[in-house]
């Protein structure tokens, strides 16, 4: 099977880091192709970044999984903790499309009655909180905590940030009385094993969770519903720079 991993920011080193994290957990026979948009922010740390990144996701999903795509993927993962463009991607592709935030919330909920999210900039906490509400995880998510680590500080794998993330996670576990930690950035994927060992509680990386859940859904022969709001986009002309995104 082929999984398309879309990194919604335009950092090539981060796209490679995400691909490595996906390949590290992918089953034998699962081929990982990682891409990022041809335009947009190098990192996503706010609503404006997120809006442009969502258009970048639309561009890449249409290109790799839309009508006329050469070898459409069997599954798609959106590898940014805001899950930008997730619903739009599900309109385009019949293959399962998973966002790393949604996947991580589900994984954490199998392992603890309550989990805490530790993310990058404090200003993006509200984006994660909105996803907790959208996906119905209010009963299980006990808190979202920023570290004010810039996303691009994780571009090299983030080894220099592990102590600060560990400290924030320890504080969250006590303050929230939670039993698991969800890493709130795709750039933290490489730190998951080290943090798990240090903290002694389940630490969930959404990239890995989304890859394994995608393999499970594909293995079950399940696909995104093409019915109702996830039906394919209606034929429509787009103007200006977005013309190639038209239908
Ligand atoms: C991410 N931003 O996973 C998010 C993390 C965040 O560029 N990749 C980004 O801060 O929301």
């Amino acid at each position: 099977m082929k999984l398309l991993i879309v990194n919604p920011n335009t950092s090539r080193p981060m796209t490679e880091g995400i691909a490595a994290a996906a390949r590290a957990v992918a089953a034998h026979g699962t081929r990982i192709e990682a891409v990022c948009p041809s335009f947009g922010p190098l990192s996503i740390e706010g609503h404006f970044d997120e809006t442009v990144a969502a258009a970048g996701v639309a561009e890449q999903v249409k290109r790799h999984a839309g009508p006329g795509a050469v070898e459409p993927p069997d599954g798609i993962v959106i590898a940014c903790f805001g899950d930008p463009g997730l619903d739009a991607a599900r309109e385009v592709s019949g293959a399962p499309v998973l966002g790393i935030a949604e996947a991580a919330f589900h994984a954490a909920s199998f392992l603890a009655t309550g989990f805490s999210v530790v993310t990058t900039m404090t200003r993006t906490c509200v984006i994660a909180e909105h996803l907790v509400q959208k996906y119905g995880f209010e009963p299980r998510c006990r808190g979202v905590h920023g570290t004010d680590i810039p996303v691009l500080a994780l571009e090299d794998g983030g080894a220099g940030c592990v102590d600060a993330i560990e400290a924030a996670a320890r504080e969250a576990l006590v303050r929230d009385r939670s039993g698991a930690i969800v890493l709130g950035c795709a750039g933290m994927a490489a730190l998951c094993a080290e943090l798990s060992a240090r903290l002694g509680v389940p630490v969930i990386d959404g990239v890995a969770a989304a890859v394994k859940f995608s393999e499970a859904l594909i293995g079950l022969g399940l696909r995104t519903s093409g019915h109702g709001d996830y039906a394919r986009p209606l034929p429509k002309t787009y103007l200006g720079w977005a013309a190639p995104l038209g239908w």
Side-chain angles (χ1 to χ4, degrees), residues 45 48 66 85 117 136 145 174 176 188 190 237:
E45 296 172 319
F48 193 88
V117 176
H145 307 273
V174 173
D176 301 344
M188 294 177 180
T237 302

Side-chain angles (χ1 to χ4, degrees), residues 121-218:
M121 307 304 282
T122 300
R123 65 176 291 166
T124 63
C125 289
V126 66
I127 294 176
E129 288 156 359
H130 286 169
L131 291 182
V132 167
Q133 289 153 16
K134 175 185 175 185
Y135 300 143
F137 279 95
E138 294 100 320
R140 311 303 290 272
C141 180
R142 301 230 179 110
V144 178
H145 307 273
T147 56
D148 287 319
I149 295 169
V151 169
L152 292 182
L154 298 160
E155 212 175 23
D156 64 357
C161 304
V162 69
D163 294 343
I165 298 169
E166 179 194 355
R170 283 193 189 286
E171 196 186 322
L173 289 168
V174 173
R175 215 160 96 193
D176 301 344
R177 291 183 295 102
S178 54
I181 294 290
V182 165
L183 298 178
C185 181
M188 294 177 180
L191 303 175
C192 190
E194 173 68 19
L195 287 163
S196 300
R198 292 186 182 195
L199 294 164
V201 299
V203 175
I204 293 96
D205 156 43
V207 174
V211 166
K212 299 315 286 183
F213 285 149
S214 297
E215 289 175 335
L217 290 170
I218 295 161

Side-chain angles (χ1 to χ4, degrees), residues 81 97 103 133 139 169 172 180 194 220:
F81 205 75
V97 184
Q133 289 153 16
E194 173 68 19
L220 291 166

Side-chain angles (χ1 to χ4, degrees), residues 9 14 43-44 79-81 100 119-121 124 151 184-187:
N9 73 38
M14 191 164 276
S43 66
I44 301 158
C80 167
F81 205 75
I100 64 170
T119 189
T120 53
M121 307 304 282
T124 63
V151 169
C185 181

Side-chain angles (χ1 to χ4, degrees), residues 34 102 105 198 231 244:
E102 188 177 21
F105 295 162
R198 292 186 182 195

